[in-house]
Amino acid sequence: MPETFDEATTLKRRTFVAASTAVAGLPLLTSDRLPASASTPTPADQLSTVRLTVNGEQRTAQVDNRTSLLDLLREHLDLPGTKKGCDQGACGACTVLVDDRRVNSCLILAVMAQDANVTTIEGLARGRGEQLHPLQQAFIDHDGLQCGYCTPGQVMSGVACIAEGHTGSRAEIREWMSGNLCRCGAYTNIVSAIEQTAKEA
Ligand code: FES
Ligand code: FES
């Protein structure tokens, strides 16, 4: 039983140091039983070279066979405009066009896009970003974004929605945009932006 404040403090410190050391030691004791980490180099026989056209440019990357198209774009081709929301096909934040069809890029493997023509949000504006795509401008005009995280996916999906002709009414737009979620709830203005762009097109 400590009798003074100093003794009590010293004991607490010793207890803390002992506990910290024990916790810190755990990984050392168990690391040989842990599965290989994500940073373990991929064996050569599990790598593929993917060649595809992205935003009009020929691109090539060597990737682990399990790499999604989303990770290829963001991590290997330096195109972070396409967002990762759920990484499991539920939110639409990762929407890109593959051969002019909208896809959730988190749901397809990079190797499945071999020789494909991919358009991402970075490829929509012209003149190195100086001339926005009409739908990008309409999102600004109608205040179709708040935090903006879902916006690249909404815009890419909206471009496809217009090209597909699913813009006959606001209800139809809502239905065909229902795969793109917006946590900020900007839906009304997103529909207005698509509606305006479709009319002008
Ligand atoms: S990140 Fe692909 S659907 Fe959510
Ligand atoms: S604007 Fe924030 S999630 Fe859509």
Side-chain angles (χ1 to χ4, degrees):
M1 191 72 173
E3 292 181 6
T4 65
F5 175 78
D6 281 351
E7 282 174 352
T9 307
T10 304
L11 272 177
K12 278 184 193 159
R13 199 163 49 228
R14 274 197 211 125
T15 310
F16 173 75
V17 170
S20 306
T21 308
V23 170
L26 276 176
L28 294 177
L29 294 173
T30 59
S31 62
D32 57 346
R33 293 189 214 151
L34 294 173
S37 77
S39 60
T40 305
T42 305
D45 63 353
Q46 292 171 29
L47 291 170
S48 293
T49 300
V50 180
R51 294 185 183 80
L52 69 175
T53 303
V54 184
N55 300 330
E57 277 182 41
Q58 291 286 330
R59 304 293 300 265
T60 302
Q62 192 174 54
V63 297
D64 185 308
N65 291 339
R66 298 165 294 180
T67 304
S68 67
L69 175 60
L70 174 60
D71 285 341
L72 170 68
L73 295 169
R74 290 180 55 85
E75 312 295 337
H76 296 264
L77 302 183
D78 196 23
L79 291 167
T82 305
K83 300 300 182 225
K84 183 180 284 190
C86 62
D87 208 19
Q88 54 185 348
C91 73
C94 63
T95 305
V96 299
L97 305 184
V98 176
D99 294 331
D100 295 326
R101 296 185 65 185
R102 49 181 157 169
V103 301
N104 289 333
S105 59
C106 69
L107 285 188
I108 70 170
L109 295 172
V111 292
M112 295 165 71
Q114 186 76 266
D115 299 322
N117 194 355
V118 176
T119 306
T120 71
I121 190 71
E122 290 93 341
L124 271 195
R126 298 184 190 279
R128 296 191 174 275
E130 285 164 17
Q131 188 187 343
L132 293 180
H133 184 283
L135 186 55
Q136 290 175 305
Q137 186 59 54
F139 264 67
I140 295 171
D141 296 344
H142 288 273
D143 211 9
L145 61 149
Q146 292 181 34
C147 77
Y149 197 80
C150 73
T151 310
Q154 301 278 4
V155 170
M156 297 310 296
S157 202
V159 166
C161 183
I162 293 167
E164 292 160 9
H166 297 304
T167 53
S169 65
R170 290 180 69 85
E172 188 179 7
I173 293 171
R174 274 198 295 275
E175 172 65 23
W176 286 88
M177 290 294 293
S178 60
N180 289 79
L181 305 185
C182 174
R183 287 291 299 270
C184 300
Y187 296 112
T188 302
N189 297 354
I190 291 170
V191 171
S192 297
I194 294 171
E195 192 177 34
Q196 175 197 302
T197 308
K199 276 184 191 151
E200 290 173 0

